[in-house]
Amino acid sequence: MGDVYERLIERWSLEEDGDPLHPGVVFGDDSRTILEIGCGRGDLAVSYAVTHPRHALMAIDVHTRGIANILAGVETHELANVRVIEGDAQVFVRRLPSCSIDEIWVFFPDPWPKVRHRNRRLLRHDLIATLTEPLKVGGVLRLATDIADYARTAADAVASSGRFSDPTLGRPDWRIETVFERRGVREGRDAIDLAWTRVEGP
Ligand SMILES: C[S@@+](CC[C@H](N)C(=O)[O-])C[C@H]1O[C@@H](n2cnc3c(N)ncnc32)[C@H](O)[C@@H]1O
């Protein structure tokens, strides 16, 4: 892991914090731009970037191992449409201008099942507006989770923001099964996929 990380991190990463960062400047064009929050091992980020070469993907996680895995994929597949961010999405989204990206993905966010820990969930009332501020009107917020209660509370939080359409249900065909999802399936939990479109609003 160390070798590929050391060699490629500077070339393909974006700083978590800093000046405003317009995706068009980063990727050099007006590609459809996606932010994957909590990319984990990064297998989806790599597979999506390979199959969607005209889309631009920013993948963020606090863990170095997943970032290194994506960098290995960048090298193997000679990808130019991926950037990694090693850090906290709550900080990074503030660098992205309002209405500057097309999709935000939150796939299998940490479930925080205990009631007293629900305020740590990513898709929660007090964070939705900040996390989704960079989404364009017409842009899409996607969630996959195998925790029914997470889907319910996220849907409530998104609805109460007043910024999104009602959710649509259904797994995108490009969303490959990750290690995390596979474990849930083995334990008898199926994924719920929800997508909301941003509309004009606060
Ligand atoms: C349960 S894992 C799922 C990973 C991956 N999406 C998958 O489907 O396999 C959740 C991931 O979200 C990351 N994460 C949690 N909070 C985060 C934050 N504020 N910013 C960036 N990543 C975060 C964790 O480090 C972890 O890798």
Side-chain angles (χ1 to χ4, degrees), residues 36-42 44 60-63 85 87-91 106-112 120 122 127 131 144 175-181 183:
E36 184 183 12
I37 297 179
C39 57
R41 275 177 43 95
L44 171 61
I60 181 163
D61 205 290
V62 292
H63 289 310
I85 305 101
D88 183 345
Q90 298 183 48
V91 178
V106 183
F107 292 150
F108 300 94
D110 292 326
W112 297 111
R120 299 182 189 177
L122 267 175
L127 203 53
L131 278 186
R175 192 176 69 67
I176 61 167
E177 191 180 68
T178 61
V179 174
F180 193 83
E181 177 175 11
R183 190 185 319 147

Side-chain angles (χ1 to χ4, degrees), residues 78-140:
E78 299 181 359
L79 298 172
N81 58 336
V82 181
R83 297 294 183 279
V84 293
I85 305 101
E86 192 174 356
D88 183 345
Q90 298 183 48
V91 178
F92 180 68
V93 289
R94 294 174 196 274
R95 293 197 71 186
L96 299 172
S98 295
C99 300
S100 64
I101 65 172
D102 297 279
E103 300 207 13
I104 294 178
W105 302 344
V106 183
F107 292 150
F108 300 94
D110 292 326
W112 297 111
K114 292 185 180 156
V115 173
R116 69 174 187 279
H117 290 154
R118 294 236 175 104
N119 58 358
R120 299 182 189 177
R121 287 179 172 177
L122 267 175
L123 293 188
R124 60 177 198 259
H125 280 94
D126 62 311
L127 203 53
I128 289 286
T130 304
L131 278 186
T132 62
E133 184 57 28
L135 260 188
K136 296 174 183 170
V137 171
V140 179

